[in-house]
Each structure stands twice: as C-alpha cells, then as structure tokens.
PDB file of all heavy atoms in Angstrom:
ATOM      1  N   SER A 233     -51.260-127.978  93.023  1.00 98.00           N
ATOM      2  CA  SER A 233     -50.559-127.179  92.035  1.00 98.00           C
ATOM      3  C   SER A 233     -49.342-126.473  92.611  1.00 98.00           C
ATOM      4  O   SER A 233     -49.317-126.213  93.820  1.00 98.00           O
ATOM      5  CB  SER A 233     -51.512-126.064  91.510  1.00 98.00           C
ATOM      6  OG  SER A 233     -52.641-126.638  90.822  1.00 98.00           O
ATOM      7  N   LEU A 234     -48.413-126.189  91.757  1.00 98.00           N
ATOM      8  CA  LEU A 234     -47.289-125.374  92.072  1.00 98.00           C
ATOM      9  C   LEU A 234     -46.903-124.529  90.902  1.00 98.00           C
ATOM     10  O   LEU A 234     -47.179-124.919  89.766  1.00 98.00           O
ATOM     11  CB  LEU A 234     -46.037-126.242  92.445  1.00 98.00           C
ATOM     12  CG  LEU A 234     -45.975-126.938  93.789  1.00 98.00           C
ATOM     13  CD1 LEU A 234     -44.778-127.880  93.850  1.00 98.00           C
ATOM     14  CD2 LEU A 234     -45.948-125.956  94.950  1.00 98.00           C
ATOM     15  N   ARG A 235     -46.280-123.380  91.128  1.00 98.00           N
ATOM     16  CA  ARG A 235     -45.777-122.525  90.098  1.00 98.00           C
ATOM     17  C   ARG A 235     -44.316-122.280  90.286  1.00 98.00           C
ATOM     18  O   ARG A 235     -43.900-121.695  91.297  1.00 98.00           O
ATOM     19  CB  ARG A 235     -46.502-121.178  90.058  1.00 98.00           C
ATOM     20  CG  ARG A 235     -46.194-120.318  88.851  1.00 98.00           C
ATOM     21  CD  ARG A 235     -46.700-118.905  89.024  1.00 98.00           C
ATOM     22  NE  ARG A 235     -46.745-118.160  87.779  1.00 98.00           N
ATOM     23  CZ  ARG A 235     -46.805-116.837  87.691  1.00 98.00           C
ATOM     24  NH1 ARG A 235     -46.842-116.110  88.821  1.00 98.00           N
ATOM     25  NH2 ARG A 235     -46.872-116.239  86.480  1.00 98.00           N
ATOM     26  N   LEU A 236     -43.529-122.781  89.351  1.00 98.00           N
ATOM     27  CA  LEU A 236     -42.066-122.537  89.414  1.00 98.00           C
ATOM     28  C   LEU A 236     -41.677-121.263  88.682  1.00 98.00           C
ATOM     29  O   LEU A 236     -42.329-120.963  87.629  1.00 98.00           O
ATOM     30  CB  LEU A 236     -41.368-123.783  88.781  1.00 98.00           C
ATOM     31  CG  LEU A 236     -41.708-125.154  89.332  1.00 98.00           C
ATOM     32  CD1 LEU A 236     -40.803-126.195  88.687  1.00 98.00           C
ATOM     33  CD2 LEU A 236     -41.534-125.186  90.848  1.00 98.00           C
ATOM     34  N   SER A 237     -40.708-120.644  89.161  1.00 98.00           N
ATOM     35  CA  SER A 237     -40.152-119.453  88.525  1.00 98.00           C
ATOM     36  C   SER A 237     -38.643-119.568  88.290  1.00 98.00           C
ATOM     37  O   SER A 237     -37.936-120.217  89.072  1.00 98.00           O
ATOM     38  CB  SER A 237     -40.417-118.178  89.350  1.00 98.00           C
ATOM     39  OG  SER A 237     -41.792-117.995  89.561  1.00 98.00           O
ATOM     40  N   CYS A 238     -38.158-118.952  87.226  1.00 98.00           N
ATOM     41  CA  CYS A 238     -36.722-118.979  86.956  1.00 98.00           C
ATOM     42  C   CYS A 238     -36.356-117.532  86.502  1.00 98.00           C
ATOM     43  O   CYS A 238     -36.905-117.089  85.469  1.00 98.00           O
ATOM     44  CB  CYS A 238     -36.349-119.977  85.868  1.00 98.00           C
ATOM     45  SG  CYS A 238     -34.725-119.898  85.240  1.00 98.00           S
ATOM     46  N   VAL A 239     -35.537-116.867  87.279  1.00 98.00           N
ATOM     47  CA  VAL A 239     -35.087-115.551  86.953  1.00 98.00           C
ATOM     48  C   VAL A 239     -33.677-115.613  86.362  1.00 98.00           C
ATOM     49  O   VAL A 239     -32.784-116.190  86.989  1.00 98.00           O
ATOM     50  CB  VAL A 239     -35.136-114.667  88.190  1.00 98.00           C
ATOM     51  CG1 VAL A 239     -34.644-113.247  87.827  1.00 98.00           C
ATOM     52  CG2 VAL A 239     -36.515-114.611  88.799  1.00 98.00           C
ATOM     53  N   ALA A 240     -33.534-114.986  85.211  1.00 97.00           N
ATOM     54  CA  ALA A 240     -32.233-115.002  84.496  1.00 97.00           C
ATOM     55  C   ALA A 240     -31.538-113.651  84.657  1.00 97.00           C
ATOM     56  O   ALA A 240     -32.121-112.610  84.701  1.00 97.00           O
ATOM     57  CB  ALA A 240     -32.438-115.299  83.025  1.00 97.00           C
ATOM     58  N   SER A 241     -30.199-113.695  84.713  1.00 96.00           N
ATOM     59  CA  SER A 241     -29.378-112.532  84.712  1.00 96.00           C
ATOM     60  C   SER A 241     -28.117-112.800  83.871  1.00 96.00           C
ATOM     61  O   SER A 241     -27.747-113.955  83.688  1.00 96.00           O
ATOM     62  CB  SER A 241     -28.999-112.073  86.120  1.00 96.00           C
ATOM     63  OG  SER A 241     -28.276-113.108  86.778  1.00 96.00           O
ATOM     64  N   GLY A 242     -27.481-111.817  83.411  1.00 94.00           N
ATOM     65  CA  GLY A 242     -26.301-111.968  82.631  1.00 94.00           C
ATOM     66  C   GLY A 242     -26.472-112.332  81.169  1.00 94.00           C
ATOM     67  O   GLY A 242     -25.536-112.615  80.447  1.00 94.00           O
ATOM     68  N   ILE A 243     -27.743-112.303  80.667  1.00 91.00           N
ATOM     69  CA  ILE A 243     -28.057-112.586  79.285  1.00 91.00           C
ATOM     70  C   ILE A 243     -29.053-111.573  78.810  1.00 91.00           C
ATOM     71  O   ILE A 243     -29.712-110.964  79.610  1.00 91.00           O
ATOM     72  CB  ILE A 243     -28.580-114.015  79.119  1.00 91.00           C
ATOM     73  CG1 ILE A 243     -29.907-114.189  79.899  1.00 91.00           C
ATOM     74  CG2 ILE A 243     -27.554-115.022  79.539  1.00 91.00           C
ATOM     75  CD1 ILE A 243     -30.615-115.501  79.657  1.00 91.00           C
ATOM     76  N   ILE A 244     -29.171-111.448  77.522  1.00 93.00           N
ATOM     77  CA  ILE A 244     -30.250-110.719  76.923  1.00 93.00           C
ATOM     78  C   ILE A 244     -31.410-111.717  76.799  1.00 93.00           C
ATOM     79  O   ILE A 244     -31.533-112.433  75.816  1.00 93.00           O
ATOM     80  CB  ILE A 244     -29.876-110.110  75.550  1.00 93.00           C
ATOM     81  CG1 ILE A 244     -28.582-109.239  75.700  1.00 93.00           C
ATOM     82  CG2 ILE A 244     -30.996-109.303  75.012  1.00 93.00           C
ATOM     83  CD1 ILE A 244     -28.113-108.670  74.399  1.00 93.00           C
ATOM     84  N   PHE A 245     -32.266-111.754  77.772  1.00 95.00           N
ATOM     85  CA  PHE A 245     -33.243-112.772  77.988  1.00 95.00           C
ATOM     86  C   PHE A 245     -34.108-113.018  76.765  1.00 95.00           C
ATOM     87  O   PHE A 245     -34.438-114.142  76.377  1.00 95.00           O
ATOM     88  CB  PHE A 245     -34.088-112.435  79.264  1.00 95.00           C
ATOM     89  CG  PHE A 245     -35.058-113.465  79.579  1.00 95.00           C
ATOM     90  CD1 PHE A 245     -34.750-114.654  80.193  1.00 95.00           C
ATOM     91  CD2 PHE A 245     -36.431-113.288  79.287  1.00 95.00           C
ATOM     92  CE1 PHE A 245     -35.675-115.624  80.537  1.00 95.00           C
ATOM     93  CE2 PHE A 245     -37.378-114.256  79.590  1.00 95.00           C
ATOM     94  CZ  PHE A 245     -36.971-115.392  80.209  1.00 95.00           C
ATOM     95  N   ARG A 246     -34.594-111.928  76.139  1.00 96.00           N
ATOM     96  CA  ARG A 246     -35.526-112.075  75.110  1.00 96.00           C
ATOM     97  C   ARG A 246     -35.017-112.806  73.870  1.00 96.00           C
ATOM     98  O   ARG A 246     -35.820-113.241  73.007  1.00 96.00           O
ATOM     99  CB  ARG A 246     -36.110-110.707  74.699  1.00 96.00           C
ATOM    100  CG  ARG A 246     -35.040-109.707  74.140  1.00 96.00           C
ATOM    101  CD  ARG A 246     -35.669-108.365  73.957  1.00 96.00           C
ATOM    102  NE  ARG A 246     -34.701-107.330  73.625  1.00 96.00           N
ATOM    103  CZ  ARG A 246     -34.375-106.999  72.392  1.00 96.00           C
ATOM    104  NH1 ARG A 246     -34.978-107.553  71.372  1.00 96.00           N
ATOM    105  NH2 ARG A 246     -33.441-106.046  72.146  1.00 96.00           N
ATOM    106  N   PHE A 247     -33.677-112.971  73.767  1.00 96.00           N
ATOM    107  CA  PHE A 247     -33.088-113.706  72.705  1.00 96.00           C
ATOM    108  C   PHE A 247     -32.931-115.188  72.944  1.00 96.00           C
ATOM    109  O   PHE A 247     -32.530-115.924  72.044  1.00 96.00           O
ATOM    110  CB  PHE A 247     -31.695-113.152  72.319  1.00 96.00           C
ATOM    111  CG  PHE A 247     -31.718-111.709  71.808  1.00 96.00           C
ATOM    112  CD1 PHE A 247     -30.586-110.918  71.883  1.00 96.00           C
ATOM    113  CD2 PHE A 247     -32.855-111.256  71.159  1.00 96.00           C
ATOM    114  CE1 PHE A 247     -30.582-109.640  71.401  1.00 96.00           C
ATOM    115  CE2 PHE A 247     -32.840-109.943  70.636  1.00 96.00           C
ATOM    116  CZ  PHE A 247     -31.678-109.194  70.755  1.00 96.00           C
ATOM    117  N   TYR A 248     -33.253-115.638  74.140  1.00 97.00           N
ATOM    118  CA  TYR A 248     -32.942-116.997  74.581  1.00 97.00           C
ATOM    119  C   TYR A 248     -34.177-117.885  74.455  1.00 97.00           C
ATOM    120  O   TYR A 248     -35.302-117.470  74.744  1.00 97.00           O
ATOM    121  CB  TYR A 248     -32.460-117.003  76.045  1.00 97.00           C
ATOM    122  CG  TYR A 248     -30.991-116.844  76.165  1.00 97.00           C
ATOM    123  CD1 TYR A 248     -30.349-115.665  75.757  1.00 97.00           C
ATOM    124  CD2 TYR A 248     -30.184-117.910  76.600  1.00 97.00           C
ATOM    125  CE1 TYR A 248     -28.966-115.536  75.866  1.00 97.00           C
ATOM    126  CE2 TYR A 248     -28.793-117.790  76.678  1.00 97.00           C
ATOM    127  CZ  TYR A 248     -28.204-116.594  76.338  1.00 97.00           C
ATOM    128  OH  TYR A 248     -26.837-116.437  76.454  1.00 97.00           O
ATOM    129  N   ASN A 249     -33.939-119.120  74.033  1.00 98.00           N
ATOM    130  CA  ASN A 249     -34.907-120.180  74.215  1.00 98.00           C
ATOM    131  C   ASN A 249     -34.790-120.735  75.616  1.00 98.00           C
ATOM    132  O   ASN A 249     -33.714-120.996  76.136  1.00 98.00           O
ATOM    133  CB  ASN A 249     -34.619-121.299  73.193  1.00 98.00           C
ATOM    134  CG  ASN A 249     -34.664-120.825  71.765  1.00 98.00           C
ATOM    135  OD1 ASN A 249     -35.614-120.211  71.305  1.00 98.00           O
ATOM    136  ND2 ASN A 249     -33.564-121.083  71.010  1.00 98.00           N
ATOM    137  N   MET A 250     -35.958-120.869  76.314  1.00 98.00           N
ATOM    138  CA  MET A 250     -35.969-121.293  77.683  1.00 98.00           C
ATOM    139  C   MET A 250     -36.719-122.640  77.808  1.00 98.00           C
ATOM    140  O   MET A 250     -37.627-122.926  77.038  1.00 98.00           O
ATOM    141  CB  MET A 250     -36.649-120.272  78.527  1.00 98.00           C
ATOM    142  CG  MET A 250     -36.048-118.880  78.445  1.00 98.00           C
ATOM    143  SD  MET A 250     -34.301-118.836  78.977  1.00 98.00           S
ATOM    144  CE  MET A 250     -34.458-119.359  80.707  1.00 98.00           C
ATOM    145  N   GLY A 251     -36.314-123.370  78.792  1.00 98.00           N
ATOM    146  CA  GLY A 251     -37.011-124.687  79.050  1.00 98.00           C
ATOM    147  C   GLY A 251     -36.930-125.110  80.444  1.00 98.00           C
ATOM    148  O   GLY A 251     -36.106-124.625  81.283  1.00 98.00           O
ATOM    149  N   TRP A 252     -37.835-125.952  80.816  1.00 98.00           N
ATOM    150  CA  TRP A 252     -37.827-126.663  82.093  1.00 98.00           C
ATOM    151  C   TRP A 252     -37.571-128.155  81.890  1.00 98.00           C
ATOM    152  O   TRP A 252     -38.234-128.770  81.029  1.00 98.00           O
ATOM    153  CB  TRP A 252     -39.178-126.483  82.846  1.00 98.00           C
ATOM    154  CG  TRP A 252     -39.408-125.135  83.394  1.00 98.00           C
ATOM    155  CD1 TRP A 252     -40.112-124.107  82.812  1.00 98.00           C
ATOM    156  CD2 TRP A 252     -38.865-124.653  84.683  1.00 98.00           C
ATOM    157  NE1 TRP A 252     -40.061-122.973  83.620  1.00 98.00           N
ATOM    158  CE2 TRP A 252     -39.337-123.322  84.756  1.00 98.00           C
ATOM    159  CE3 TRP A 252     -38.175-125.158  85.644  1.00 98.00           C
ATOM    160  CZ2 TRP A 252     -39.068-122.513  85.867  1.00 98.00           C
ATOM    161  CZ3 TRP A 252     -37.838-124.393  86.784  1.00 98.00           C
ATOM    162  CH2 TRP A 252     -38.290-123.078  86.848  1.00 98.00           C
ATOM    163  N   TYR A 253     -36.614-128.648  82.620  1.00 98.00           N
ATOM    164  CA  TYR A 253     -36.285-130.078  82.581  1.00 98.00           C
ATOM    165  C   TYR A 253     -36.465-130.628  83.967  1.00 98.00           C
ATOM    166  O   TYR A 253     -36.487-129.895  84.979  1.00 98.00           O
ATOM    167  CB  TYR A 253     -34.819-130.289  82.206  1.00 98.00           C
ATOM    168  CG  TYR A 253     -34.547-129.948  80.743  1.00 98.00           C
ATOM    169  CD1 TYR A 253     -34.527-128.653  80.283  1.00 98.00           C
ATOM    170  CD2 TYR A 253     -34.274-130.985  79.801  1.00 98.00           C
ATOM    171  CE1 TYR A 253     -34.263-128.312  78.955  1.00 98.00           C
ATOM    172  CE2 TYR A 253     -33.981-130.707  78.499  1.00 98.00           C
ATOM    173  CZ  TYR A 253     -33.942-129.326  78.063  1.00 98.00           C
ATOM    174  OH  TYR A 253     -33.708-129.062  76.740  1.00 98.00           O
ATOM    175  N   ARG A 254     -36.537-131.979  84.107  1.00 98.00           N
ATOM    176  CA  ARG A 254     -36.609-132.581  85.416  1.00 98.00           C
ATOM    177  C   ARG A 254     -35.825-133.828  85.453  1.00 98.00           C
ATOM    178  O   ARG A 254     -35.610-134.516  84.439  1.00 98.00           O
ATOM    179  CB  ARG A 254     -38.079-132.857  85.853  1.00 98.00           C
ATOM    180  CG  ARG A 254     -38.817-133.877  85.010  1.00 98.00           C
ATOM    181  CD  ARG A 254     -40.226-134.009  85.379  1.00 98.00           C
ATOM    182  NE  ARG A 254     -40.976-134.928  84.540  1.00 98.00           N
ATOM    183  CZ  ARG A 254     -42.258-135.006  84.411  1.00 98.00           C
ATOM    184  NH1 ARG A 254     -43.055-134.195  85.103  1.00 98.00           N
ATOM    185  NH2 ARG A 254     -42.814-135.945  83.621  1.00 98.00           N
ATOM    186  N   GLN A 255     -35.351-134.207  86.615  1.00 98.00           N
ATOM    187  CA  GLN A 255     -34.628-135.464  86.794  1.00 98.00           C
ATOM    188  C   GLN A 255     -35.139-136.086  88.096  1.00 98.00           C
ATOM    189  O   GLN A 255     -34.964-135.582  89.182  1.00 98.00           O
ATOM    190  CB  GLN A 255     -33.147-135.212  86.900  1.00 98.00           C
ATOM    191  CG  GLN A 255     -32.347-136.526  86.893  1.00 98.00           C
ATOM    192  CD  GLN A 255     -30.861-136.215  86.603  1.00 98.00           C
ATOM    193  OE1 GLN A 255     -30.344-135.162  86.822  1.00 98.00           O
ATOM    194  NE2 GLN A 255     -30.235-137.271  86.137  1.00 98.00           N
ATOM    195  N   ALA A 256     -35.733-137.296  87.953  1.00 96.00           N
ATOM    196  CA  ALA A 256     -36.221-138.068  89.049  1.00 96.00           C
ATOM    197  C   ALA A 256     -35.119-139.060  89.436  1.00 96.00           C
ATOM    198  O   ALA A 256     -34.241-139.428  88.633  1.00 96.00           O
ATOM    199  CB  ALA A 256     -37.496-138.812  88.666  1.00 96.00           C
ATOM    200  N   PRO A 257     -35.170-139.577  90.694  1.00 91.00           N
ATOM    201  CA  PRO A 257     -34.142-140.540  91.131  1.00 91.00           C
ATOM    202  C   PRO A 257     -34.055-141.753  90.194  1.00 91.00           C
ATOM    203  O   PRO A 257     -35.069-142.380  89.877  1.00 91.00           O
ATOM    204  CB  PRO A 257     -34.595-140.938  92.490  1.00 91.00           C
ATOM    205  CG  PRO A 257     -35.373-139.775  92.989  1.00 91.00           C
ATOM    206  CD  PRO A 257     -36.043-139.229  91.771  1.00 91.00           C
ATOM    207  N   GLY A 258     -32.883-142.088  89.768  1.00 93.00           N
ATOM    208  CA  GLY A 258     -32.627-143.228  88.884  1.00 93.00           C
ATOM    209  C   GLY A 258     -33.049-143.044  87.450  1.00 93.00           C
ATOM    210  O   GLY A 258     -32.959-144.007  86.691  1.00 93.00           O
ATOM    211  N   LYS A 259     -33.415-141.785  87.068  1.00 96.00           N
ATOM    212  CA  LYS A 259     -33.798-141.525  85.655  1.00 96.00           C
ATOM    213  C   LYS A 259     -32.964-140.449  85.031  1.00 96.00           C
ATOM    214  O   LYS A 259     -32.358-139.691  85.770  1.00 96.00           O
ATOM    215  CB  LYS A 259     -35.280-141.198  85.580  1.00 96.00           C
ATOM    216  CG  LYS A 259     -36.233-142.286  86.001  1.00 96.00           C
ATOM    217  CD  LYS A 259     -37.671-141.907  85.808  1.00 96.00           C
ATOM    218  CE  LYS A 259     -38.626-143.030  86.083  1.00 96.00           C
ATOM    219  NZ  LYS A 259     -40.083-142.643  85.813  1.00 96.00           N
ATOM    220  N   GLN A 260     -32.955-140.402  83.763  1.00 97.00           N
ATOM    221  CA  GLN A 260     -32.226-139.360  83.031  1.00 97.00           C
ATOM    222  C   GLN A 260     -33.002-138.024  83.057  1.00 97.00           C
ATOM    223  O   GLN A 260     -34.196-138.068  83.226  1.00 97.00           O
ATOM    224  CB  GLN A 260     -31.964-139.788  81.596  1.00 97.00           C
ATOM    225  CG  GLN A 260     -31.045-140.931  81.433  1.00 97.00           C
ATOM    226  CD  GLN A 260     -30.737-141.208  79.971  1.00 97.00           C
ATOM    227  OE1 GLN A 260     -31.593-141.070  79.096  1.00 97.00           O
ATOM    228  NE2 GLN A 260     -29.471-141.591  79.684  1.00 97.00           N
ATOM    229  N   ARG A 261     -32.302-136.937  82.946  1.00 97.00           N
ATOM    230  CA  ARG A 261     -32.957-135.636  82.824  1.00 97.00           C
ATOM    231  C   ARG A 261     -33.736-135.575  81.532  1.00 97.00           C
ATOM    232  O   ARG A 261     -33.278-135.988  80.481  1.00 97.00           O
ATOM    233  CB  ARG A 261     -31.894-134.550  82.879  1.00 97.00           C
ATOM    234  CG  ARG A 261     -32.478-133.159  82.990  1.00 97.00           C
ATOM    235  CD  ARG A 261     -31.387-132.101  83.223  1.00 97.00           C
ATOM    236  NE  ARG A 261     -30.622-132.353  84.433  1.00 97.00           N
ATOM    237  CZ  ARG A 261     -29.691-131.550  84.914  1.00 97.00           C
ATOM    238  NH1 ARG A 261     -29.488-130.344  84.295  1.00 97.00           N
ATOM    239  NH2 ARG A 261     -29.076-131.846  86.020  1.00 97.00           N
ATOM    240  N   GLU A 262     -34.965-135.043  81.615  1.00 98.00           N
ATOM    241  CA  GLU A 262     -35.838-134.976  80.479  1.00 98.00           C
ATOM    242  C   GLU A 262     -36.484-133.627  80.347  1.00 98.00           C
ATOM    243  O   GLU A 262     -36.700-132.943  81.323  1.00 98.00           O
ATOM    244  CB  GLU A 262     -36.922-136.064  80.575  1.00 98.00           C
ATOM    245  CG  GLU A 262     -37.861-135.859  81.723  1.00 98.00           C
ATOM    246  CD  GLU A 262     -39.051-136.839  81.744  1.00 98.00           C
ATOM    247  OE1 GLU A 262     -39.251-137.551  80.738  1.00 98.00           O
ATOM    248  OE2 GLU A 262     -39.720-136.929  82.757  1.00 98.00           O
ATOM    249  N   LEU A 263     -36.808-133.235  79.087  1.00 98.00           N
ATOM    250  CA  LEU A 263     -37.457-131.991  78.852  1.00 98.00           C
ATOM    251  C   LEU A 263     -38.927-132.080  79.249  1.00 98.00           C
ATOM    252  O   LEU A 263     -39.620-133.024  78.934  1.00 98.00           O
ATOM    253  CB  LEU A 263     -37.395-131.651  77.390  1.00 98.00           C
ATOM    254  CG  LEU A 263     -38.158-130.365  76.977  1.00 98.00           C
ATOM    255  CD1 LEU A 263     -37.530-129.126  77.519  1.00 98.00           C
ATOM    256  CD2 LEU A 263     -38.263-130.273  75.412  1.00 98.00           C
ATOM    257  N   VAL A 264     -39.392-131.111  80.083  1.00 98.00           N
ATOM    258  CA  VAL A 264     -40.748-131.053  80.495  1.00 98.00           C
ATOM    259  C   VAL A 264     -41.518-130.082  79.559  1.00 98.00           C
ATOM    260  O   VAL A 264     -42.626-130.387  79.071  1.00 98.00           O
ATOM    261  CB  VAL A 264     -40.878-130.581  81.978  1.00 98.00           C
ATOM    262  CG1 VAL A 264     -42.363-130.406  82.347  1.00 98.00           C
ATOM    263  CG2 VAL A 264     -40.172-131.552  82.874  1.00 98.00           C
TER     264      VAL A 264
END
C-alpha cells in the first residue's frame, strides 16, 4: 500500500474538483 498526498495553494480549494491521474510508459494519461 501507498498513500499519495497533494497539497494545493493559490486556489480556494473547497471550490475545486480534484483528481488523480496516472501515466505509465508508452500509455496515455488516464483518470484514476
């Protein structure tokens, strides 16, 4: 297991839609 974190600044965070994407070698970036 791993736990990823993303800290935002410069935005009103509570108004934003957030997402995690990934890109593997040779593949397109995709929504996780």
Side-chain angles (χ1 to χ4, degrees):
S233 297
L234 286 173
R235 190 192 195 199
L236 306 183
S237 299
C238 172
V239 180
S241 60
I243 63 172
I244 304 177
F245 181 79
R246 62 188 173 94
F247 294 156
Y248 272 66
N249 301 305
M250 304 299 298
W252 287 97
Y253 292 72
R254 68 187 176 195
Q255 187 165 24
K259 295 186 176 181
Q260 293 185 324
R261 189 173 299 187
E262 64 175 349
L263 176 68
V264 178

